[in-house]
Amino acid sequence: MEKYTVEDLKNIKAQDEHLLTPDKDKKEYRILVCNGTGCTSSKSPLILKKFEEEIEKRGLTNVQVVKTGCFGLCALGPIVIVYPEGAFYSEFNIDNVERVIDEHIVGGNVCKDLLYGETIDGDNVKPFADTTFYGKQKRVVLRDCGVINPEKISEYILRDGYTALARCITNMKPEEVIDAIKDSGLRGRGGAGFPTFRKWEMVRAAVGDQKYVACNADEGDPGAFMDRSVLEGNPHCIIEAMAIAGYAVGANKGYVYIRAEYPIAVKRLQIAIEQAKEHGLLGDNILGTNFSFDLEIRLGAGAFVCGEETALMNSIAGLRGEPNVKPPFPANKGIFGCPTSLNNVETYANIPQIILNGADWFKSMGTEKSPGTKVFAVTGKINHVGLVEVPMGTTLREIIYDICGGIPNNKKFKAAQTGGPSGGCIPEEYLDLPIDFDTLSSIGCMMGSGGLIVMDETTCMVDMAKFFLEFTVDESCGKCVPCRIGNKRMLEILTKFTQGKATEEDIEKLDELAHFIGDASLCGLGKCAPNPVLSTLKSFRNEYENHIKGICDAKVCKALKKYQINKDVCKGCSSCARSCPVGCISGEIKSPFEIDSTKCIKCGTCFDKCKFGAIEII
């Protein structure tokens, strides 16, 4: 296999750049089929295969069928985009493949009834970049996701891939690379917002014959899929960025720590690493220079605690995945006891673009202290579940209402959870607060890696805090007492609230215990575990107080639910009585039925079975 030189990278782009931009006059077409995890679950690989078969059957040599990563609008998958028109087909069905080929590709007429509604503009196709979902986004980290085939290194090169690495190792000193990252103001996107250049600077200055760089792709937060989507859609940008980091800090080896539950991401990353090695972009004497750098994948077993840097490094080294006491810090004693720089996927994805476009370009986005963009995985009670990338400082209202289409069924927004189990909830009063590291910290929340769970009026905040604490208790490594025992005690108290057995004294116990655990735990998992509790106590204390009175405002907590039959609505059909597993519903046909609350086990079967809405939860 040919080993690339710097000139080769330039020549590939000059010769083949047209492949990404088909010419309508030449009747060229490029069909992009999302094969990210979301669309794959909706059988998009079968759609891709069907397109390939039908194109070959018809002998259409002017058509490319391209496997891509996530487009972001996950709620409307499978997604197929056809260029040069940019026709955005959503919720695509395999039965529509032949029709699109016959009518659109061969006939030249876009199938308008299959288009995403917002892209229909009279007789024209509106660019999907101008739609509500995409209009306010700024794609830097996600710039190549949904654009290139992640399994073809040539397509990444056509988008300036590996040009930043070439620039660094041929025209810049390691210190100059670090200075470029320093000038950009890039802060780590893994949660804490630590300045990226400082990690690199410390590892560069550390004493050691062997140094490492590592990538945290463990991504254990419930509802988070940002890093997975980047690796599925553009794994080469992470390889390039890690090689740049290795050059900057003086490391010749890197590790990507990724959870085994991400099979598509793992597969594409492995393919990308093999391609990079074959073409001399990893390994010895990269691009004909004296710089050598190699990369390995380490699979994690899904332990949330291994998202903590020292636990992750222990796991890479084959040790038990539990955190170490700091100092020493990883910059001095990391993987195998050697100086190590660790960043997460999203942080790395910014590096090539900063090198290519400059620090001022990067600082032109976002806020003064939090420049650049942030990727969010928006889930929960939201119309457009998906992957969103916006400039730092964008408000929560813009993300939820302007980009993601608001709350389903016109329900009222209650809160948004950022940072997963380690984060806190943002109540309605802060909907117009700019989202950046320091602003969120000022209200007792944290950015986290980018999971954003939206909650409406049907969400019980006590139950939500309990859900996250159950997760944290289950994922604790057990090494330190405050986390191992303290979180279990907090969970016991929260359970009392959801069962209507708590007292006023329990609110104070919960608050005191939460602060103690946060102060005394060994690592970030334990220190941040109380955050969902503390933030809900601060913003929704009334819900805790109502649970003491036996009232769950959202009617979620099973022990506090009470079912009754509205006699004015009941038709006397007996469906509820026939479905009740304990026989607590009685009555006569064509007359209102009645529930014996002393026998009711609150299973909700009657509520689900009633066709007339006569069963009420009070």
Side-chain angles (χ1 to χ4, degrees):
M1 186 67 70
E2 178 190 1
K3 302 286 186 180
Y4 288 152
T5 64
V6 175
E7 285 303 313
D8 288 331
L9 297 181
K10 295 177 182 177
N11 291 336
I12 289 171
K13 184 173 181 181
Q15 294 170 6
D16 298 330
E17 192 170 19
H18 67 281
L19 295 176
L20 299 182
T21 53
D23 190 330
K24 188 173 184 179
D25 293 335
K26 296 179 181 179
K27 295 186 178 180
E28 295 175 341
Y29 287 93
R30 183 174 167 88
I31 303 173
L32 307 180
V33 183
C34 176
N35 269 228
T37 293
C39 287
T40 294
S41 68
S42 300
K43 301 182 179 180
S44 65
L46 297 180
I47 294 172
L48 177 78
K49 184 178 179 181
K50 181 72 171 176
F51 265 117
E52 290 173 336
E53 291 174 348
E54 294 299 326
I55 293 297
E56 183 178 2
K57 185 189 298 183
R58 289 165 169 76
L60 299 174
T61 57
N62 60 327
V63 182
Q64 301 176 63
V65 182
V66 183
K67 174 194 299 184
T68 75
C70 180
F71 292 107
L73 197 51
C74 305
L76 296 180
I79 290 172
V80 172
I81 301 181
V82 180
Y83 286 100
E85 295 87 356
F88 191 102
Y89 296 117
S90 60
E91 297 180 282
F92 198 84
N93 191 296
I94 193 169
D95 296 333
N96 298 131
V97 170
E98 292 186 54
R99 183 184 163 200
V100 167
I101 294 174
D102 292 336
E103 295 183 21
H104 186 166
I105 304 299
V106 178
N109 298 310
V110 174
C111 304
K112 289 188 178 180
D113 59 309
L114 302 180
L115 292 174
Y116 172 43
E118 281 194 51
T119 63
I120 301 173
D121 184 18
D123 293 331
N124 301 315
V125 177
K126 179 181 178 182
F128 67 87
D130 295 336
T131 62
T132 300
F133 184 78
Y134 292 102
K136 285 195 171 184
Q137 293 193 49
K138 178 69 176 178
R139 292 168 76 87
V140 176
V141 171
L142 302 176
R143 70 184 294 269
D144 293 325
C145 294
V147 176
I148 65 171
N149 184 335
E151 297 180 15
K152 286 189 177 181
I153 191 171
S154 58
E155 294 210 356
Y156 178 61
I157 292 173
L158 294 180
R159 296 275 290 173
D160 294 321
Y162 292 104
T163 303
L165 173 61
R167 181 177 298 177
C168 288
I169 63 179
T170 59
N171 295 325
M172 300 173 73
K173 296 178 181 178
E175 294 81 5
E176 292 175 326
V177 176
I178 294 175
D179 285 343
I181 304 305
K182 178 181 180 180
D183 293 343
S184 74
L186 176 66
R187 298 172 66 171
R189 298 312 199 238
F194 190 77
T196 302
F197 86 92
R198 286 188 183 171
K199 287 187 177 182
W200 292 19
E201 202 171 51
M202 288 187 287
V203 176
R204 179 76 190 171
V207 178
D209 294 331
Q210 178 66 56
K211 298 178 182 180
Y212 297 103
V213 296
C215 175
N216 181 355
D218 193 51
E219 194 169 52
D221 291 358
F225 51 93
M226 304 78 57
D227 293 350
R228 184 197 75 201
S229 297
V230 172
L231 288 170
E232 289 178 353
N234 186 17
H236 281 287
C237 76
I238 305 305
I239 295 171
E240 180 178 15
M242 292 185 71
I244 292 171
Y247 175 72
V249 306
N252 62 7
K253 186 66 179 280
Y255 292 95
V256 180
Y257 188 81
I258 180 171
R259 54 182 45 232
E261 295 96 328
Y262 284 176
I264 297 176
V266 172
K267 177 187 174 184
R268 291 180 184 168
L269 179 61
Q270 188 60 59
I271 290 172
I273 289 174
E274 291 170 0
Q275 289 176 342
K277 287 181 178 180
E278 289 171 353
H279 292 293
L281 296 165
L282 278 179
D284 297 331
N285 306 116
I286 293 174
L287 291 172
T289 69
N290 293 325
F291 174 60
S292 298
F293 182 80
D294 206 354
L295 203 56
E296 284 187 33
I297 296 174
R298 284 287 190 271
L299 297 181
F304 182 66
V305 72
C306 285
E308 194 276 339
E309 58 180 359
T310 59
L312 181 152
M313 293 178 192
N314 282 332
S315 184
I316 287 177
L319 304 174
R320 180 180 173 85
E322 59 184 17
N324 298 335
V325 175
K326 294 182 285 189
F329 293 97
N332 293 304
K333 189 176 181 180
I335 299 172
F336 301 118
C338 300
T340 304
S341 177
L342 174 71
N343 296 108
N344 84 325
V345 170
E346 187 179 344
T347 307
Y348 277 124
N350 281 288
I351 301 297
Q353 294 306 306
I354 291 173
I355 297 298
L356 289 177
N357 298 297
D360 289 340
W361 166 82
F362 189 74
K363 290 190 291 188
S364 70
M365 301 173 285
T367 64
E368 182 180 357
K369 294 184 178 180
S370 298
T373 62
K374 183 72 191 78
V375 180
F376 291 99
V378 187
T379 58
K381 306 296 180 63
I382 193 78
N383 278 315
H384 290 157
V385 171
L387 204 62
V388 171
E389 184 175 4
V390 293
M392 287 278 196
T394 301
T395 67
L396 193 61
R397 186 185 300 277
E398 288 177 285
I399 294 174
I400 293 174
Y401 289 97
D402 296 349
I403 296 175
C404 292
I407 315 294
N409 303 314
N410 293 316
K411 296 286 187 181
K412 185 179 179 182
F413 170 82
K414 179 180 276 190
Q417 178 81 8
T418 59
S422 301
C425 66
I426 306 174
E428 184 181 18
E429 63 184 288
Y430 295 124
L431 262 176
D432 294 306
L433 202 69
I435 298 179
D436 59 51
F437 291 109
D438 302 313
T439 303
L440 287 181
S441 179
S442 70
I443 62 171
C445 295
M446 64 182 292
M447 180 80 70
S449 59
L452 198 159
I453 303 174
V454 180
M455 294 165 277
D456 67 12
E457 59 194 85
T458 64
T459 304
C460 171
M461 302 309 291
V462 178
D463 181 67
M464 187 278 297
K466 178 173 171 282
F467 165 79
F468 281 119
L469 206 62
E470 285 173 335
F471 178 87
T472 306
V473 167
D474 189 54
E475 293 292 339
S476 173
C477 73
K479 185 172 183 177
C480 73
V481 172
C483 180
R484 183 178 73 245
I485 305 298
N487 281 321
K488 285 184 178 179
R489 298 292 85 85
M490 269 208 303
L491 180 57
E492 289 170 0
I493 296 172
L494 284 171
T495 301
K496 287 176 65 178
F497 275 98
T498 60
Q499 293 176 344
K501 299 177 180 179
T503 65
E504 286 286 346
E505 186 180 31
D506 285 317
I507 293 182
E508 305 309 319
K509 284 182 181 178
L510 199 58
D511 184 74
E512 182 181 359
L513 191 54
H515 281 96
F516 171 76
I517 294 169
D519 292 338
S521 291
L522 173 62
C523 78
L525 183 148
K527 290 182 180 299
C528 296
N531 285 350
V533 175
L534 289 171
S535 63
T536 52
L537 277 173
K538 177 182 177 182
S539 300
F540 298 95
R541 189 183 183 95
N542 64 305
E543 292 200 23
Y544 283 87
E545 293 170 345
N546 286 341
H547 277 68
I548 294 173
K549 301 173 185 176
I551 302 169
C552 175
D553 297 301
K555 299 179 175 60
V556 168
C557 296
K558 182 177 177 181
L560 304 184
K561 286 182 179 179
K562 294 178 182 178
Y563 291 90
Q564 71 175 18
I565 297 176
N566 187 327
K567 295 184 179 181
D568 294 330
V569 179
C570 180
K571 305 296 182 183
C573 70
S574 80
S575 175
C576 56
R578 285 183 281 112
S579 63
C580 179
V582 294
C584 73
I585 304 177
S586 60
E588 296 182 6
I589 297 295
K590 295 186 179 180
S591 296
F593 277 62
E594 189 173 353
I595 298 175
D596 184 344
S597 60
T598 62
K599 296 180 182 179
C600 179
I601 60 172
K602 304 173 183 179
C603 65
T605 303
C606 60
F607 183 85
D608 295 332
K609 292 291 185 180
C610 182
K611 299 178 181 179
F612 306 103
I615 311 292
E616 298 175 343
I617 304 174
I618 59 172

